[in-house]
Amino acid sequence: MTTEPTYHIETLAVHAGVAPDPVSGAVMTPIYQTSTYAQADVGVHKGYEYSRTDNPTRTALQTALAALEGGQHALAFASGMATIDTILRLVRPGEHVLSGNDVYGGTFRLFDKVLAAYGLEFSFVDTADSTAVQAAMRPHTKLVWLETPTNPMLRLTDIAAVAQIAHAAGAWLGVDNTFASPVLQRPLTLGADFVVHSTTKYIGGHSDVVGGAVVLNDTAVYERLKFLQNAIGAVPGPMDCFLTLRGIKTLALRMAQHCRNAIKVAQFLADHPQVAEVIYPGLESHPQYELAQRQMAGPGGMISFILQGGEAAARTVARHTKLFTLAESLGGVESLIELPAPMTHASVADSPLAVDPGLVRISVGIESAADLITDLQQALGKL
Ligand code: P1T
């Protein structure tokens, strides 16, 4: 089946990029576990020369990802960070990147501790505030970079509004869509130039593979990124591409269940006397509840909260959950709990992006919501 833009996302998740193998009729994309390809004569081949440059399993994954995000082109990488790093090679020394001030700790680390040393200029702003974004643009701003919802504060940005600001200044807008997934939000349709995923998370969905991807429409920029993908070489292996492709098939189903469960868990937490604050875009108490309703097809599976007892209480709860595993990462079928300040966001400590040490972040999985709530209840009971 070819990819038709008219298909709904549930259908694209199952079919996009995948066609029966012409050799055997295999319904599932084969794992082309090969580094190289026989040539009939010098330079005469079937489109594949070397697996850093192209691999059929990766091609299928890239086609699927482009279809899911409603974009023309996609490129897959060995990790989310490798994806972001490769995109940042489009920015030249002396140019400015305006980044959201709440991003994954590793993204901040790449910007501040790696790329700044190569002459790229970074500044950070709350992209939820379009006026602040406008004021923070500089004459040499090349790229505006944001997450929505953000990791870990779950703040939202009006993508269409910020795309307008970026474009008026001649800059690109890159949106890290990892927390939403294309099932809940498609930033290219709102004006973003790059959509990025840590496919390690919802897209892979089973916590068994690390990967990343970018989806975009501009063919000239895609050609440059494809050149960089090959030149730098941070590519995923065929097995990783296969696992990610398999995860994609259930993406729509999983996202629906993540949302259903997270809404119930967030409501439980909001009603609990030991909980001081719950941050979840699906609660009316979220400052951008209306934007979530307008921009997203569902509020997602990520919840952050602060306990009355602060950091000590946060550590106690994280230590005592049984179904929620204490671990970094998110977006898998299983529920996870973590403290961003000492774990995923340790790299932003002592920076203006530092996270409240008492913040707890949970990735609500697809288990029974009742069981998840019982688990949190018993862990909160230890306080
Ligand atoms: O881990 P990797 O596949 O390299 O992706 C990095 C990354 C990029 N963008 C966002 C929004 C992310 O959340 C991540 C990775 N985040 C975690 C590992 C975490 O637990 O938050």
Side-chain angles (χ1 to χ4, degrees):
M1 185 181 113
T2 53
T3 306
E4 307 277 348
T6 49
Y7 287 122
H8 294 89
I9 196 130
E10 295 85 352
T11 309
L12 291 174
V14 174
H15 291 283
V18 177
D21 178 49
V23 175
S24 64
V27 170
M28 286 302 129
T29 310
I31 303 161
Y32 286 89
Q33 196 72 50
T34 186
S35 60
T36 192
Y37 307 82
Q39 305 201 2
D41 201 346
V42 178
V44 179
H45 53 76
K46 297 175 177 175
Y48 293 93
E49 292 166 88
Y50 187 61
S51 279
R52 172 163 31 75
T53 317
D54 280 302
N55 173 284
T57 317
R58 195 170 93 212
T59 303
L61 172 62
Q62 292 175 163
T63 306
L65 289 167
L68 287 176
E69 284 289 359
Q72 291 295 313
H73 311 287
L75 291 164
F77 293 86
S79 67
M81 292 321 306
T83 312
I84 299 172
D85 180 56
T86 305
I87 294 169
L88 267 286
R89 308 295 177 115
L90 297 171
V91 181
R92 310 208 41 100
E95 291 179 332
H96 172 238
V97 177
L98 179 61
S99 168
N101 67 357
D102 186 39
V103 289
Y104 169 54
T107 301
F108 174 75
R109 180 174 55 198
L110 175 68
F111 291 174
D112 187 60
K113 305 276 192 307
V114 181
L115 296 173
Y118 290 86
L120 276 64
E121 190 179 305
F122 292 93
S123 65
F124 298 87
V125 69
D126 179 4
T127 55
D129 179 351
S130 302
T131 315
V133 174
Q134 179 70 69
M137 296 296 290
R138 297 178 186 174
H140 53 300
T141 304
K142 180 80 176 181
L143 174 66
V144 177
W145 189 265
L146 61 90
E147 297 173 5
T148 178
T150 59
N151 181 2
M153 297 308 293
L154 303 170
R155 278 192 225 120
L156 307 187
T157 291
D158 184 332
I159 297 170
V162 172
Q164 259 186 7
I165 294 168
H167 294 162
W172 289 308
L173 173 63
V175 174
D176 185 331
N177 201 27
T178 298
F179 270 38
S181 91
V183 172
L184 302 184
Q185 170 176 283
R186 300 218 265 179
L188 291 180
T189 65
L190 300 169
D193 301 285
F194 305 107
V195 177
V196 164
H197 285 279
S198 166
T199 55
T200 317
K201 313 299 191 270
Y202 288 108
I203 289 192
H206 296 74
S207 304
D208 53 9
V209 60
V210 170
V214 57
V215 186
L216 70 165
N217 281 320
D218 187 307
T219 300
V221 178
Y222 161 74
E223 293 296 347
R224 175 69 186 160
L225 278 175
K226 179 150 179 51
F227 170 83
L228 290 169
Q229 182 195 41
N230 180 53
I232 298 168
V235 293
M239 183 70 193
D240 290 357
C241 293
F242 173 84
L243 286 171
T244 309
L245 262 176
R246 188 168 73 161
I248 285 173
K249 294 190 190 295
T250 55
L251 180 64
L253 277 175
R254 287 187 283 107
M255 292 317 295
Q257 177 76 351
H258 284 299
C259 290
R260 271 195 299 270
N261 280 355
I263 289 166
K264 289 180 192 157
V265 170
Q267 270 159 0
F268 160 76
L269 289 170
D271 292 341
H272 198 283
Q274 294 286 355
V275 177
E277 188 187 351
V278 182
I279 308 165
Y280 181 62
L283 289 181
E284 282 183 41
S285 59
H286 190 284
Q288 295 163 297
Y289 177 74
E290 278 189 12
L291 177 58
Q293 297 287 307
R294 173 157 55 85
Q295 185 165 271
M296 302 177 74
M302 299 301 296
I303 302 172
S304 290
F305 59 95
I306 293 176
L307 295 164
Q308 301 287 4
E311 185 181 353
R315 285 177 183 257
T316 300
V317 168
R319 234 176 254 135
H320 284 97
T321 51
K322 292 173 182 161
L323 283 176
F324 284 85
T325 302
L326 176 59
E328 301 197 3
S329 203
L330 60 116
V333 290
E334 71 295 324
S335 294
L336 301 179
I337 186 164
E338 70 125 7
L339 272 57
M343 294 174 68
T344 53
H345 289 68
S347 330
V348 302
D350 305 322
S351 85
L353 280 69
V355 177
D356 182 334
L359 190 78
V360 183
R361 190 190 77 180
I362 55 177
S363 173
V364 179
I366 63 166
E367 305 96 329
S368 144
D371 292 342
L372 295 178
I373 287 169
T374 303
D375 188 33
L376 289 170
Q377 196 152 30
Q378 65 78 26
L380 287 162
K382 306 288 181 192
L383 297 175

